[in-house]
Amino acid sequence: MNKRRKLTDKLMTILPILSVLITILPLISISVYLVYKGVQYLNVQFLTELPKPVGQPGGGMANSIVGSGIVVGLAGLIGVPIAVLAGIYLAEYGRKTKLAAVVRFFADVLQGVPSIVIGIVAYAVVVIPMGSFSAVAGAAALAMMLIPFLTRTTEEALLTVPQDVKEAGLALGQPQWRVVLGIVLRSARGPIMTGVMLGIARIAGETAPLLFTALNNRFWHNGLNGPISTLTVQIYNYAISPFTDWNGQAWSGALVLVLLVTGLNILVRTLARSRYSERS
Amino acid sequence: MMQQLHKGHLGRDSSPGAQGEHKQDKRMLAATIQDRAFKHISLLAALAVLALVVVIVYQLTTNAWEAISRYRLGFVLSSVWDPVFHDYGALPFVFGTVVSSLLALLIAVPLSLGVAIFLSEIATAKLRRPIIFLVEVLASIPSVIYGLWGIFVLVPLVRQSQPFFQRWFGFLPIFQGPPFGYSLLAAAIILAIMIIPTITSLSRDALAAVPNHQREASYALGASHWETIKNVVLPYNKSGIIAAVMLGLGRALGETMAVTMVIGNMPQISASLFMPAQTMASLIANEFGEAVSPLHVSALMEIGLLLFLVTLLINVLAKFLTTRTKHKGVQK
């Protein structure tokens, strides 16, 4: 190899390394700021109290943290059963049908729909008929985002279960639905649970679909039919506010959000892992 | 096939005699009914996914109808957006969305391809795993947190860097204007950071699909590492990489919160990267809550419909590209 080719080779292989470093830079910056700024307003008060009126120091995001839990939990209650059943249809009953192909196609494409669009659709479908912003509307919007993703994850998880296992169940005289629920779904519950957690973590971080559905609330929510505060919307409102006190609380809220979401993820993953080892 | 299998089953605890057979028949009937019911419930759930598409299209179209029928094509050509005098044109937002997303691609594509090449062609197995993990973490950060970081870290950085650009390149219109910080450039940078994980992981898949004998053949011909990457690995699965870029673009076009928080939200078309602008998504986030007049709501719904259709189109195209490469892989 002549010198020039050798040199270009060296130089050009440095570029990918450089791009890795540049890509990781923002991640480091975000993590450092999240921890450094986040801990400043993070205390017991922040986790247990309602927001204080403008100008009064202190107060917290207790209502937003609980609100996020309610809205996301409700979205899971709506979305998970539908998505898992749809996944069962795609993997078991309609595997090679045209309908399944169409459902698969749209489930994939729906994942790319901007979340703000889902938000205004949920506004039109739930908020207008109900006559009020509500936790239910927010949950409906998040469920609309969860279902396409989880349908495909469930399907893929079910497809990993070997055919012999199913046939063994059928040979024992089990009706097909018992085989699907008792054997196929059970064997695939690990990857399905991982999918559920990933989906929940994803929707827990969503803000745009909640802006015009769950809205926000400076107090505790009053039932599921009224506006409710969520952590993400509260972070947004506090971040764009002109008050340094609120800006600081936005960082603490962000830290709590990240800890909750990743904490949940790690918890479920380790739980699932220990269960498996127990069984085997 | 499976149904036939279970229809021909023998009860485990079947007792001889007519009574036992009768019992078994009953149980089999019950099983068939339960089977049918369960199948139909799961079918219903699958149809719910399709219903979702129908609901989205129907709601957006009907709610936007007032604006659609009033402005027709003029909606995307007019640059006046004036809720006070009830005049709505989407051009500044289309401009903001397209320019911020394309700028984001300009930054993100080389970096993502660099990371993907590093992961698939250069890195050792030991290095690969932590970097993949970090890229995944980058993908999992909620967009409102990117926005928060944008407001307090990125926007001041853009503001401080502007005098430098003006001093050396101030003759170019793209660097002119007062230093706001909240700008098209800030939005493009934050979008780039957000779409790098998408493009990286998908193009890494595309590079991983390149068979090893292709690389070996190139080395055997005396090509260097870089020449192999450039001439063999990258061109082999071009459509996979294009699909990755398109999905990144789709994400950038629809991204709302982070952009809303750093772009400055002013409906204007300006040549300068340092001037505030507004995107279609950030417009909806800003105005939908305060829109009172039906026409205003309808115009915002039409913006949502346009956004939906454009991202739908991009995702469909990307999907066709990836399935095409899959077939290609099977043939080889």
Side-chain angles (χ1 to χ4, degrees):
Chain A
M1 243 190 269
N2 64 36
K3 253 190 195 158
R4 224 183 103 206
R5 279 181 64 208
K6 238 180 195 164
L7 199 70
T8 12
D9 192 52
K10 278 259 162 63
L11 277 177
M12 293 317 271
T13 37
I14 287 173
L15 285 182
I17 299 172
L18 210 64
S19 39
V20 171
L21 294 178
I22 296 173
T23 301
I24 290 174
L25 211 63
L27 181 63
I28 295 170
S29 172
I30 291 171
S31 316
V32 169
Y33 270 91
L34 209 52
V35 175
Y36 170 70
K37 292 230 180 187
V39 292
Q40 289 177 11
Y41 282 80
L42 194 63
N43 47 36
V44 180
Q45 207 185 19
F46 182 82
L47 297 172
T48 55
E49 282 187 14
L50 287 176
K52 287 260 167 71
V54 183
Q56 279 185 43
M61 289 194 182
N63 58 338
S64 316
I65 297 168
V66 173
S68 267
I70 291 174
V71 174
V72 172
L74 213 55
L77 281 181
I78 304 168
V80 173
I82 295 179
V84 169
L85 282 168
I88 288 175
Y89 180 80
L90 295 183
E92 297 295 325
Y93 290 107
R95 191 183 290 190
K96 281 179 183 151
T97 58
K98 267 210 180 111
L99 175 70
V102 175
V103 171
R104 232 170 254 139
F105 177 82
F106 279 108
D108 282 346
V109 169
L110 274 178
Q111 290 177 45
V113 174
S115 56
I116 186 85
V117 172
I118 302 283
I120 55 175
V121 170
Y123 172 86
V125 179
V126 187
V127 175
I128 292 179
M130 273 179 68
S132 159
F133 298 103
S134 65
V136 177
L142 293 185
M144 284 162 98
M145 305 204 62
L146 182 65
I147 289 170
F149 167 76
L150 199 53
T151 298
R152 292 291 273 147
T153 329
T154 307
E155 186 200 2
E156 273 156 30
L158 294 178
L159 287 179
T160 59
V161 179
Q163 190 71 23
D164 345 353
V165 181
K166 283 181 235 170
E167 278 167 9
L170 292 168
L172 285 173
Q174 295 263 343
Q176 197 179 353
W177 70 277
R178 299 257 330 242
V179 172
V180 168
L181 285 182
I183 298 174
V184 182
L185 201 63
R186 244 179 104 99
S187 341
R189 69 174 175 211
I192 293 178
M193 271 318 279
T194 312
V196 169
M197 281 346 286
L198 283 177
I200 293 284
R202 196 186 279 192
I203 60 171
E206 282 293 345
T207 316
L210 299 174
L211 286 175
F212 317 117
T213 50
L215 205 70
N216 201 359
N217 195 337
R218 293 196 58 80
F219 305 97
W220 290 104
H221 62 282
N222 189 9
L224 298 179
N225 294 329
I228 189 168
S229 180
T230 52
L231 204 42
T232 47
V233 175
Q234 189 72 334
I235 293 168
Y236 170 60
N237 285 334
Y238 274 21
I240 60 171
S241 81
F243 314 112
T244 33
D245 206 38
W246 284 12
N247 294 160
Q249 291 199 10
W251 280 104
S252 299
L255 183 60
V256 170
L257 178 67
V258 167
L259 288 179
L260 280 179
V261 167
T262 49
L264 196 72
N265 241 322
I266 293 167
L267 186 81
V268 170
R269 266 168 218 249
T270 42
L271 272 182
R273 208 168 293 147
S274 63
R275 269 247 182 98
Y276 288 140
S277 52
E278 235 171 71
R279 248 177 6 132
S280 59
Chain B
M1 187 197 81
M2 288 210 287
Q3 256 169 358
Q4 276 169 357
L5 263 175
H6 102 252
K7 266 180 195 160
H9 77 166
L10 288 165
R12 264 173 301 175
D13 50 352
S14 64
S15 51
Q19 232 185 355
E21 251 168 50
H22 183 65
K23 214 168 146 191
Q24 198 184 313
D25 274 358
K26 238 182 168 175
R27 207 194 288 159
M28 262 169 67
L29 189 69
T32 331
I33 293 172
Q34 286 162 347
D35 250 355
R36 286 248 175 90
F38 186 67
K39 184 180 172 180
H40 283 105
I41 291 170
S42 76
L43 173 68
L44 225 59
L47 289 175
V49 176
L50 294 186
L52 213 57
V53 182
V54 176
V55 166
I56 292 173
V57 174
Y58 175 79
Q59 286 294 343
L60 288 176
T61 317
T62 49
N63 281 294
W65 197 250
E66 196 180 335
I68 295 173
S69 56
R70 178 160 171 169
Y71 295 111
R72 297 185 188 277
L73 219 66
F75 188 69
V76 285
L77 298 175
S78 157
S79 59
V80 180
W81 182 271
D82 193 342
V84 179
F85 289 95
H86 302 296
D87 200 6
Y88 302 100
L91 194 61
F93 316 112
V94 173
F95 169 84
T97 301
V98 170
V99 172
S100 63
S101 297
L102 290 182
L103 278 173
L105 281 188
L106 212 63
I107 304 167
V109 170
L111 286 174
S112 309
L113 282 182
V115 178
I117 288 171
F118 180 78
L119 288 173
S120 113
E121 308 297 319
I122 297 171
T124 55
K126 238 187 205 167
L127 255 177
R128 197 174 294 149
R129 203 178 280 173
I131 291 173
I132 291 174
F133 172 75
L134 290 178
V135 172
E136 275 173 4
V137 172
L138 207 57
S140 73
I141 297 174
S143 100
V144 71
I145 292 179
Y146 276 111
L148 184 67
W149 177 80
I151 290 179
F152 295 105
V153 183
L154 182 64
V155 165
L157 217 64
V158 170
R159 193 185 300 136
Q160 284 154 20
S161 73
Q162 196 187 350
F164 167 82
F165 282 104
Q166 266 177 345
R167 186 158 161 214
W168 298 103
F169 308 101
F171 57 92
L172 291 169
I174 55 169
F175 295 126
Q176 284 164 8
F180 288 119
Y182 292 94
S183 57
L184 210 51
L185 182 65
I189 293 173
I190 217 150
L191 279 175
I193 299 170
M194 295 179 76
I195 63 174
I196 281 175
T198 312
I199 305 179
T200 299
S201 70
L202 289 166
S203 47
R204 191 172 68 90
D205 291 345
L207 296 185
V210 179
N212 245 339
H213 59 73
Q214 294 278 338
R215 296 185 183 91
E216 283 155 12
S218 167
Y219 290 135
L221 289 172
S224 69
H225 199 169
W226 167 247
E227 283 161 352
T228 304
I229 293 170
K230 187 183 70 170
N231 298 329
V232 178
V233 178
L234 284 179
Y236 187 86
N237 205 346
K238 229 187 264 164
S239 51
I241 292 172
I242 294 172
V245 172
M246 286 180 70
L247 285 174
L249 175 66
R251 228 195 126 189
L253 292 172
E255 176 48 47
T256 313
M257 298 318 296
V259 173
T260 307
M261 290 162 89
V262 301
I263 202 169
N265 297 312
M266 280 165 66
Q268 58 188 15
I269 298 174
S270 151
S272 173
L273 296 178
F274 288 100
M275 288 296 272
Q278 191 155 22
T279 67
M280 296 157 82
S282 73
L283 171 77
I284 300 175
N286 266 306
E287 291 192 2
F288 197 82
E290 281 119 47
V292 212
S293 84
L295 188 62
H296 192 182
V297 174
S298 175
L300 289 171
M301 283 282 184
E302 189 174 352
I303 299 254
L305 179 65
L306 290 173
L307 204 54
F308 172 75
L309 292 177
V310 170
T311 48
L312 193 74
L313 184 74
I314 286 173
N315 278 284
V316 168
L317 286 176
K319 203 165 152 46
F320 280 128
L321 277 175
T322 41
T323 43
R324 217 184 63 189
T325 42
K326 261 184 207 149
H327 289 311
K328 196 170 121 194
V330 169
Q331 272 168 14
K332 295 234 160 167

